[in-house]
Amino acid sequence: LAMEVVEYKQWYQRRVRGKWKKSSAIGKKSEWEYEVGAPPISQKSDLLWESSNTPKAFRQDSKTHFSWRIQPLPWPMSNYKISVEDNSIVVRTENKKYFKKLRIEDMDRYKLPLLSRHVNCAHANNTLMISYEKPPNVLQLEQEVYSELCKVKPIQEGEMEGCKQQ
């Protein structure tokens, strides 16, 4: 059993946040898994926390591309090797200091293969930007979803008082 929360911005006509929460076989709830957008910054006051120099990857899609930003990555563009392996985009560095597999869950759901010719990347200001061109059928499905969402009255913050949680 899984629960999905999706946030759309009307003026962007795209999804700005998407997250999943799955239950285990015995019903235990897991943490939110962010598919699109960055998770909120944790306000925990533990004695241990993640270094600010640890690279973080978050997805930030545009109308025509699935896009990620990975920061901070200080090395020059020539140090990065980006490839498509096992239906994932793989980011490696020649100096072997960073490795990351990026999945496109949307492509998995539609059972579409990733093609390396659709991957683009750039590097600026210690940020590696990777994008994957959306296939025409994904663009069409997103347009259909957006058309349906335009028929629904958007909920503003504070308007959920009558909603009951399950």
Side-chain angles (χ1 to χ4, degrees), residues 62-68 89 104 107 112-121 130-139 142:
S62 70
K63 278 187 178 181
T64 58
H65 289 80
F66 300 111
S67 305
W68 292 265
I89 298 172
I104 304 177
M107 297 289 279
L112 297 171
L114 295 184
L115 305 172
S116 57
R117 68 176 179 260
H118 294 295
V119 177
N120 297 307
C121 59
I130 299 171
S131 64
Y132 186 87
E133 188 179 339
K134 292 180 182 179
N137 47 353
V138 170
L139 290 171
E142 286 183 351

Side-chain angles (χ1 to χ4, degrees), residues 41-56:
I41 298 170
S42 176
Q43 299 296 325
K44 294 181 181 175
S45 61
D46 296 335
L47 295 175
L48 296 176
W49 58 86
E50 193 173 19
S51 168
S52 62
N53 293 329
T54 302
K56 292 173 184 55

Side-chain angles (χ1 to χ4, degrees), residues 4-9 12-21 32-40 57-63 65-69 102-107 109-110 134 138 142:
E4 178 183 18
V5 174
V6 179
E7 180 182 334
Y8 282 86
K9 293 290 184 193
Y12 290 144
Q13 296 184 8
R14 66 178 171 89
R15 190 170 46 157
V16 293
R17 183 170 291 118
K19 58 185 181 177
W20 293 85
K21 187 178 266 195
W32 286 106
E33 294 176 31
Y34 283 80
E35 186 176 309
V36 178
F58 61 94
R59 196 168 127 188
Q60 195 175 23
D61 295 351
S62 70
K63 278 187 178 181
H65 289 80
F66 300 111
S67 305
W68 292 265
R69 292 181 180 275
L102 303 170
R103 305 265 325 155
I104 304 177
E105 288 83 0
D106 304 65
M107 297 289 279
R109 280 193 284 277
Y110 302 131
K134 292 180 182 179
V138 170
E142 286 183 351

